[in-house]
Amino acid sequence: MSYSLGIDVGATFVAAAIARTTTVEMFAVGNHAGVAPAVVSRGDDGSVATGLAARSQLTGSPERAARAVINRLGDPAPVLLGGEAYEATDLVSVLLRDVIHQITKTQGKPPEQVVLSHPASWGPFRRALFGQAARRAGLGRATMVTEPEA
C-alpha cells in the first residue's frame, strides 16, 4: 500500500507521520514519544550519526556533536563537529536521509510523497536551502509547508 510522509525537523526533535488513504499516524523515529533528538555527531571514523546515536556524544564528547542545526540554515559560519567544518545544509540533509532510510526500511518501499514543515518566518533564501538539503537527502522534489499549515 502506498503512503505519504510528513517530516518535521525541529531545533530539538525530529518527528514523522505516515499518511495512508484514510489514516495518519506518527512514525516512531526515536524511543520517546515517537520523536528522535535533532542531534548530529561526528564519529572517530569521520562518519556523521544522528538522533539517539548522536545524542550520547553531547555528554561524552560535546565538541563532536551539535543540535539545532536547522536553525543554522543560511548561516555562513560552518558547524564544527570534532574540529571538522560542515555546512548546516549538509547536516540537515543527513537528518532527513536517516529518517527516510528508517521509514523506507520498515515500510518496505519509499513514500510516494514527502511533505516537510518549516518555520513560517522563513523567507525564500532559507526555504531554498531546506529544499537543497531535501534533494541532497535523495528526496527529489519534496513539498514544503509552514509548521502552522502542517
Side-chain angles (χ1 to χ4, degrees):
M1 182 192 300
S2 65
Y3 67 99
S4 296
L5 176 63
I7 302 173
D8 177 41
V9 178
T12 309
F13 294 105
V14 177
I18 293 175
R20 299 192 192 282
T21 306
T22 59
T23 63
V24 176
E25 59 185 278
M26 290 290 295
F27 181 87
V29 292
N31 65 356
H32 300 4
V35 297
V39 178
V40 293
S41 69
R42 183 177 182 275
D44 291 334
D45 62 356
S47 63
V48 177
T50 66
L52 296 171
R55 186 176 63 183
S56 65
Q57 293 287 344
L58 287 172
T59 53
S61 301
E63 75 283 355
R64 292 184 166 276
R67 42 175 123 192
V69 293
I70 194 78
N71 293 343
R72 300 283 304 274
L73 282 178
D75 185 341
V79 178
L80 295 176
L81 300 179
E84 292 293 319
Y86 294 86
E87 286 184 34
T89 306
D90 289 333
L91 296 177
V92 170
S93 173
V94 173
L95 282 165
L96 290 169
R97 185 196 66 213
D98 286 356
V99 170
I100 292 291
H101 175 76
Q102 184 180 358
I103 292 171
T104 299
K105 185 177 174 183
T106 61
Q107 298 300 308
K109 62 182 176 180
E112 283 190 12
Q113 177 184 9
V114 176
V115 177
L116 304 173
S117 66
H118 62 81
S121 62
W122 279 8
F125 178 67
R126 291 182 88 186
R127 288 193 312 265
L129 290 173
F130 194 36
Q132 192 176 88
R135 286 187 296 283
R136 288 180 187 176
L139 296 180
R141 208 167 151 84
T143 301
M144 293 191 295
V145 299
T146 65
E147 290 166 345
E149 289 174 305

